[in-house]
Amino acid sequence: MRLSTKTYYGLRAMTNLARKEEVSPIADISFEEDIPFAFLEKIFQQLKRAGLVKSKIGSMGGYELARSPKEITAGQIFEALGEEVSSSFCPGNSSCPKYGSCGTKDFLSKLESSIGQTLESITLERLIV
C-alpha cells in the first residue's frame, strides 16, 4: 500500500487541529505543516463533507475538529480522503483468471483486513501523544 500525498497531508492537518483543540485558519495550518494552501483547502472540504471537521466563518474563522480526537480514527480520515486500503494488483474476485487456484488471495485478504483494523484502532488522540 502506498499512501497518497493528500492522505498524508490530511493526517498532518488533522493532528495539527487535534493538538490545538481550537479553531485554526487554514493559512496557519498550511504554514505550520508546510502544505500548499490550495491543496489544503480541498482536503478540508472533503474532511468537512465527511463530518470530521467543521468550519467557522469570520475574522476568527477557520476549522476545528467536529468530534473529540479520541473519537476520530485514521481509518475515517483515509476514507474521507478516498484512500483505498487494498492491494491494487489483486482483484480478489472471480474476474481474476487465477482466482480458484491462487495461493496468495487468502494472505492478501488477511493483510487488507489487518490494515483496515489497524487504521480503525488508531485515533487522533494516539497520534498526538
Side-chain angles (χ1 to χ4, degrees):
M1 183 181 120
R2 185 177 176 102
L3 188 66
S4 71
T5 301
K6 177 171 60 172
T7 301
Y8 175 60
Y9 285 167
L11 283 167
R12 286 180 29 207
M14 291 292 282
T15 56
N16 183 295
L17 285 178
R19 278 191 301 273
K20 292 178 179 178
E21 296 185 17
E22 62 184 20
V23 176
S24 295
I26 292 180
D28 291 357
I29 299 167
S30 172
F31 177 77
E32 292 163 6
E33 298 295 331
D34 194 25
I35 299 172
F37 181 84
F39 195 22
L40 191 56
E41 280 184 313
K42 291 176 184 177
I43 290 169
F44 271 115
Q45 288 171 4
Q46 287 183 269
L47 294 169
K48 183 178 177 184
R49 274 194 301 274
L52 299 178
V53 297
K54 50 188 178 178
S55 61
K56 301 264 181 167
I57 299 172
S59 62
M60 300 299 287
Y63 283 90
E64 65 183 334
L65 296 179
R67 299 188 305 270
S68 162
K70 63 182 161 191
E71 297 173 352
I72 299 174
T73 67
Q76 291 168 337
I77 297 167
F78 272 53
E79 184 178 332
L81 297 175
E83 190 75 46
E84 290 190 34
V85 181
S86 66
S87 56
S88 58
F89 52 88
C90 178
N93 59 40
S94 59
S95 69
C96 177
K98 295 286 188 182
Y99 181 72
S101 62
C102 180
T104 62
K105 73 176 184 212
D106 290 338
F107 161 74
L108 293 173
S109 176
K110 287 178 183 176
L111 179 62
E112 290 173 16
S113 178
S114 294
I115 292 170
Q117 289 171 4
T118 299
L119 290 173
E120 286 305 318
S121 72
I122 297 172
T123 64
L124 279 178
E125 182 179 56
R126 283 185 54 196
L127 292 175
I128 61 173
V129 174

